Amino acid sequence: YDESIDAEFYSEPRFVTHIDDQAIEALTQYYGATFPVGAPSKVEVLDLCSSWISHYPKDFKPAKAIGLGMNEKELKANKQLTSYVVQDLNLEPKLPFPDNSFDYVTNVVSVDYLSRPIEIFKEINRVLKPGGVLINSFSNRCFPTKAIDLWLNTQDWTHLLIVAQYFKMAGFESPEAYDITLPKGHDPMYIVQGIKTKS
């Protein structure tokens, strides 16, 4: 297990995709069925643990798309973002945004690296607007030296339960889990999503 600070591990940009093309296609299709697409919208979205690509549909035109990630060069190269923040959530889980800021928060293949997940999920809940949605997606691919032990020692179906529990402990309404893997996909693709209560 690599106990060095994450900033060192992520100091060099990695302009690669961490899931295969079919898994990316599955995620983009899911976003396309969830987000308002087509004409420019008033939607504001936060892409947490963001990188050089966010896998959003090309016709998704949010008013604001902020990426928060570890490597500035990767974030700067992400053409789907309107702005970005460099932050290590394992050192500072508090998000630098006001309450009720976003309609959606997305997190792609990164939940397994969060060492303080409940704090971070509570922060996500705080910055979502009432009725806002957190879409958390993951596969079975990871950097094993950086993933938490709980993730490495459990199977895919257990990962769904683990992430759903994060949602519940952070105050989200009943989370839902989906297997969105495409028929010809090699890498599995899973979604757990939840809604911030409106009251």
Side-chain angles (χ1 to χ4, degrees):
Y1 181 74
D2 181 3
E3 296 185 354
S4 64
I5 61 172
D6 291 340
E8 294 178 1
F9 184 79
Y10 294 103
S11 61
E12 291 297 322
R14 293 178 173 87
F15 293 105
V16 297
T17 54
H18 301 288
I19 48 178
D20 65 19
D21 290 345
Q22 289 78 21
I24 291 172
E25 182 182 351
L27 181 58
T28 301
Q29 287 181 8
Y30 187 85
Y31 284 153
T34 304
F35 296 154
V37 294
S41 68
K42 296 181 180 180
V43 166
E44 298 184 7
V45 60
L46 170 64
D47 190 27
L48 214 58
C49 304
S50 189
S51 181
W52 67 281
I53 187 169
S54 294
H55 309 306
Y56 297 152
K58 292 181 179 179
D59 55 351
F60 176 48
K61 305 180 188 305
K64 183 185 295 182
I66 300 177
L68 187 149
M70 292 288 295
N71 187 282
E72 184 169 13
K73 289 182 179 178
E74 291 181 11
L75 293 166
K76 192 173 183 179
N78 190 332
K79 303 304 182 186
Q80 296 181 300
L81 302 177
T82 57
S83 62
Y84 63 83
V85 176
V86 177
Q87 182 173 324
D88 183 346
L89 291 173
N90 287 336
L91 288 179
E92 178 48 78
K94 184 172 179 59
L95 298 175
F97 310 108
D99 296 357
N100 308 319
S101 294
F102 299 100
D103 300 283
Y104 296 96
V105 175
T106 57
N107 178 250
V108 181
V109 295
S110 298
V111 67
D112 43 326
Y113 304 123
L114 301 179
S115 61
R116 301 162 72 175
I118 307 306
E119 292 175 74
I120 294 167
F121 272 62
K122 286 181 177 179
E123 275 294 289
I124 295 170
N125 193 309
R126 179 184 66 79
V127 302
L128 275 170
K129 298 175 184 178
V133 180
L134 166 58
I135 303 173
N136 199 293
S137 57
F138 52 90
S139 183
N140 61 359
R141 302 267 298 271
C142 69
F143 296 119
T145 59
K146 280 299 180 182
I148 61 173
D149 286 343
L150 179 62
W151 198 269
L152 295 176
N153 293 315
T154 48
Q155 298 176 330
D156 286 2
W157 68 269
T158 315
H159 296 160
L160 293 167
L161 298 177
I162 291 168
V163 177
Q165 189 64 22
Y166 293 165
F167 275 84
K168 291 180 179 179
M169 294 179 72
F172 284 88
E173 291 184 10
S174 300
E176 299 179 344
Y178 306 99
D179 181 348
I180 63 168
T181 308
L182 294 180
K184 295 183 179 180
H186 178 267
D187 293 341
M189 201 66 202
Y190 306 107
I191 296 283
V192 181
Q193 73 175 40
I195 299 172
K196 178 176 179 175
T197 55
K198 293 182 179 181
S199 57

